[in-house]
Amino acid sequence: MTFLSFFFIVVSLLSFIVAQLVLKRAMEFSAKSGFRNSRFISLISVGTALMTISFFLTLGLLQRFDLSYLYPFQGLSVIIITLMAAVMLKERLTLQLSIGALLISAGIVLVSLS
């Protein structure tokens, strides 16, 4: 794997993670202020743009790499999103949730190794 390939994998993963966090924030904001608020529209636009970037980068990466190789990187998103939601969105991080996220990620890695 080249540095450029690794870079695109990381950018794809990070754009997916940030998109999830931004879209969650947008939906929280819409519950308070409605869907016609400019803040909601800007958050939805940014989240959708980031999700689109992640989608097309992933498609490009699938041209070069096996899905079984790329999927463990996507599995990391479970752990990262869980931690970032606790830090940025002030969501409650329980022991059960932490163990579940780790087990999901470990399962993805184990499946990819077979």
Side-chain angles (χ1 to χ4, degrees):
M1 173 191 308
T2 67
F3 174 76
L4 192 59
S5 297
F6 183 73
F7 173 77
F8 283 124
I9 290 170
V10 170
V11 170
S12 174
L13 180 65
L14 289 177
S15 62
F16 176 77
I17 291 166
V18 174
Q20 293 291 327
L21 295 170
V22 169
L23 290 171
K24 173 62 176 168
R25 181 74 75 193
M27 297 316 294
E28 288 174 346
F29 193 77
S30 72
K32 297 175 190 170
S33 304
F35 293 112
R36 295 181 184 231
N37 189 293
S38 63
R39 175 92 169 137
F40 167 76
I41 292 170
S42 65
L43 287 172
I44 284 291
S45 298
V46 169
T48 303
L50 287 169
M51 193 64 76
T52 303
I53 290 167
S54 173
F55 175 75
F56 284 111
L57 279 174
T58 300
L59 286 180
L61 289 166
L62 285 172
Q63 286 179 322
R64 290 193 57 149
F65 300 103
D66 291 337
L67 181 60
S68 61
Y69 179 77
L70 290 175
Y71 203 66
F73 289 102
Q74 292 297 324
L76 289 175
S77 69
V78 175
I79 293 175
I80 298 169
I81 287 174
T82 301
L83 293 174
M84 296 307 291
V87 171
M88 295 179 66
L89 302 175
K90 308 294 186 227
E91 291 184 2
R92 197 166 148 244
L93 185 60
T94 64
L95 180 62
Q96 185 176 359
L97 179 66
S98 301
I99 291 171
L102 288 172
L103 287 173
I104 289 169
S105 297
I108 291 169
V109 170
L110 285 174
V111 168
S112 71
L113 294 175
S114 62

